[in-house]
Amino acid sequence: MANDVINVEGMSCEHCVKAVTIAVSALPGVENVSVDLDGGKVSVTYDPALSALDAIKSEITEQGYDVVA
Amino acid sequence: MANDVINVEGMSCEHCVKAVTIAVSALPGVENVSVDLDGGKVSVTYDPALSALDAIKSEITEQGYDVVA
């Protein structure tokens, strides 16, 4: 797992914290999301080995279809 | 750019084609999406160099916030 801290502008309230947390958490390979509202920072723990193709397959599955080998 | 063909089960109509095309096209790094409904295949042209971190930053931007350096 890798951890990165991303500087984000525009988060002003707990709604923003929730929106970012839910959206980023839903991404494939993301293990943990932590938002520092005052500091404008989003800390993310994720699998750096996840490929673009994995993300594409995950998106198709999310839409309700089955990806088969 | 890389191209991969993904076998997908459950796509039964033009609504499915549209849902998959829109969802996958919205992913960062995806350049082209083509669905073969009868064959159950989704062909995707995308940037294989896109990292998991790029996808995370893209998701934050989609939520309406600005990722800054």
Side-chain angles (χ1 to χ4, degrees), chain B:
Chain B
M1 287 292 149
N3 182 265
D4 271 289
V5 177
I6 303 165
N7 292 308
V8 179
E9 285 181 351
M11 299 186 298
S12 57
C13 64
E14 286 302 322
H15 168 80
C16 302
V17 171
K18 195 171 175 183
V20 168
T21 302
I22 290 174
V24 174
S25 296
L27 293 174
V30 172
E31 191 174 74
N32 189 61
V33 180
S34 171
V35 177
D36 170 6
L37 181 58
D38 292 335
K41 293 179 190 306
V42 178
S43 175
V44 187
T45 305
Y46 61 97
D47 180 0
L50 192 87
S51 71
L53 186 58
D54 292 328
I56 290 166
K57 289 180 178 176
S58 171
E59 186 66 37
I60 292 172
T61 303
E62 268 183 48
Q63 291 298 315
Y65 308 103
D66 294 324
V67 171
V68 291

Side-chain angles (χ1 to χ4, degrees), chain A residues 48-66:
Chain A
L50 191 87
S51 71
L53 186 57
D54 291 328
I56 290 165
K57 288 179 178 176
S58 171
E59 185 65 37
I60 292 172
T61 303
E62 267 184 48
Q63 291 297 314
Y65 307 102
D66 294 323

Side-chain angles (χ1 to χ4, degrees), chain A residues 2-68:
Chain A
N3 181 266
D4 272 289
V5 177
I6 303 165
N7 293 308
V8 179
E9 284 181 350
M11 299 186 298
S12 57
C13 65
E14 286 303 323
H15 168 81
C16 301
V17 171
K18 194 171 176 182
V20 168
T21 302
I22 290 174
V24 175
S25 297
L27 293 175
V30 172
E31 192 173 75
N32 189 61
V33 181
S34 171
V35 177
D36 170 6
L37 181 58
D38 291 336
K41 293 179 191 304
V42 178
S43 175
V44 187
T45 305
Y46 63 97
D47 180 0
L50 191 87
S51 71
L53 186 57
D54 291 328
I56 290 165
K57 288 179 178 176
S58 171
E59 185 65 37
I60 292 172
T61 303
E62 267 184 48
Q63 291 297 314
Y65 307 102
D66 294 323
V67 171
V68 292

